[in-house]
Amino acid sequence: MPSKTLDQWRQARHAELAGPDSWLGLVGLFWLEDAISKVGSGDNCVVRLPSGPAHLGDLLCRDGEVFWQPAGGEARPLATDRDGQPSTVDHENLSFFIVDRDGRFAARVRDRAWAMRQPFAGIEHFPEDPAWVVDAEWLPLAPPVSMEVPNVTGELKPVTVAFKAVFAVDGQKVELLPMAVGEREVFFVFRDRTSGRETYGAGRFLKAKPAVDGRIRLDFNRAFNPPCAFTPFATCPLPPPENWLPFAVPAGERKWQGAH
């Protein structure tokens, strides 16, 4: 399948952020600390919904799994986001699903009608610049490097890195360490001298196709804001110090001008 053009990529990105399942529709993130967590709009609920019945049901944590038991109904297991698409529980315009962060569970609540109140106006981009399509060397690390990567909540996630991307900008040689390497894509998190000024302060994400013959193409025109740029109810990895680039990367998405 041919790659999307940059315009097509931007259009798909806009559609994703403007849609009912956008990060912009999140209205809550609630950690499940007990075996039984009440869900509803009542003051005694662990998972507080902005509307609906005072007690919609309960989330049950048993032996590393989460079950949903609607008020007066039977319990059913919920798939978390650990292995892919999570199960959702819907009530009118609201829905929630379970995220798994190294064995800690949380319910993430979404208002799927959010755009009716404030439609997404889009994100500004730097002008496309072919100079920021970089063909980097993809070099093995021997031995692999183990790192603890913090997210915006301050939690640390262990990451093992077996390769690095190496390239030069204006004669300055730099390296980027991937946060994940899969069969279909390689995922990076980086900061640069635009971070906090023209782009999101915590850094940006970049995805690349897997390396071929020891080289990997990094198209910084497709650098994009992490979910945490749009909502306080996301948990995003932060770039390790090795991925703090010592120069500006005026390519890709700029800072989102909305507020949360």
Side-chain angles (χ1 to χ4, degrees):
M1 175 182 254
S3 299
K4 292 179 180 177
T5 66
L6 182 60
D7 283 344
Q8 289 172 331
W9 180 85
R10 289 177 176 175
Q11 290 168 11
R13 174 87 170 136
H14 181 96
E16 176 188 7
L17 289 170
D21 293 329
S22 168
W23 291 101
L24 289 158
L26 294 182
V27 295
L29 177 70
F30 304 94
W31 294 98
L32 311 181
E33 304 293 355
D34 300 315
I36 301 176
S37 299
K38 288 183 177 295
V39 179
S41 61
D43 292 341
N44 64 335
C45 289
V46 173
V47 180
R48 287 287 300 275
L49 304 180
S51 62
H55 181 216
L56 185 65
D58 298 302
L59 287 167
L60 314 175
C61 296
R62 299 175 183 161
D63 301 322
E65 292 188 87
V66 181
F67 297 80
W68 167 242
Q69 184 169 22
E74 296 292 323
R76 64 178 175 91
L78 296 179
T80 73
D81 70 343
R82 177 178 51 211
D83 299 317
Q85 194 70 18
S87 306
T88 61
V89 177
D90 299 313
H91 176 73
E92 297 178 347
N93 289 327
L94 298 175
S95 68
F96 65 85
F97 56 95
I98 305 302
V99 299
D100 181 348
R101 296 297 175 264
D102 298 320
R104 286 188 69 204
F105 299 115
R108 189 170 273 160
V109 180
R110 173 175 279 130
D111 178 1
R112 302 186 81 252
W114 69 273
M116 295 176 64
R117 296 188 302 274
Q118 188 175 359
F120 179 56
I123 305 176
E124 294 183 0
H125 304 82
F126 291 98
E128 182 177 5
D129 187 348
W132 285 107
V133 181
V134 176
D135 283 315
E137 293 182 274
W138 188 240
L139 301 179
L141 289 170
V145 175
S146 295
M147 302 186 299
E148 288 192 322
V149 178
N151 63 25
V152 295
T153 67
E155 297 176 314
L156 296 174
K157 179 180 179 181
V159 173
T160 299
V161 181
F163 287 86
K164 62 182 177 180
V166 181
F167 59 99
V169 173
D170 293 333
Q172 188 171 7
K173 191 174 183 179
V174 293
E175 301 176 356
L176 280 182
L177 301 181
M179 296 296 96
V181 179
E183 293 182 0
R184 296 186 177 183
E185 65 183 24
V186 181
F187 174 60
F188 298 90
V189 186
F190 73 95
R191 278 175 58 101
D192 65 277
R193 291 291 178 86
T194 69
S195 300
R197 298 179 177 89
E198 297 169 282
T199 61
Y200 182 59
R204 288 181 287 170
F205 290 176
L206 181 66
K207 293 180 178 180
K209 290 186 176 181
V212 177
D213 296 331
R215 303 197 70 82
I216 188 167
R217 174 162 289 189
L218 308 177
D219 185 353
F220 288 96
N221 294 289
R222 303 183 189 217
F224 62 100
N225 288 304
C228 296
F230 305 102
T231 176
F233 305 123
T235 54
C236 301
L238 297 174
E242 292 88 345
N243 286 9
W244 290 28
L245 299 178
F247 44 75
V249 180
E253 289 184 352
R254 294 177 179 265
K255 186 187 297 185
W256 181 56
Q257 298 303 319
H260 58 250

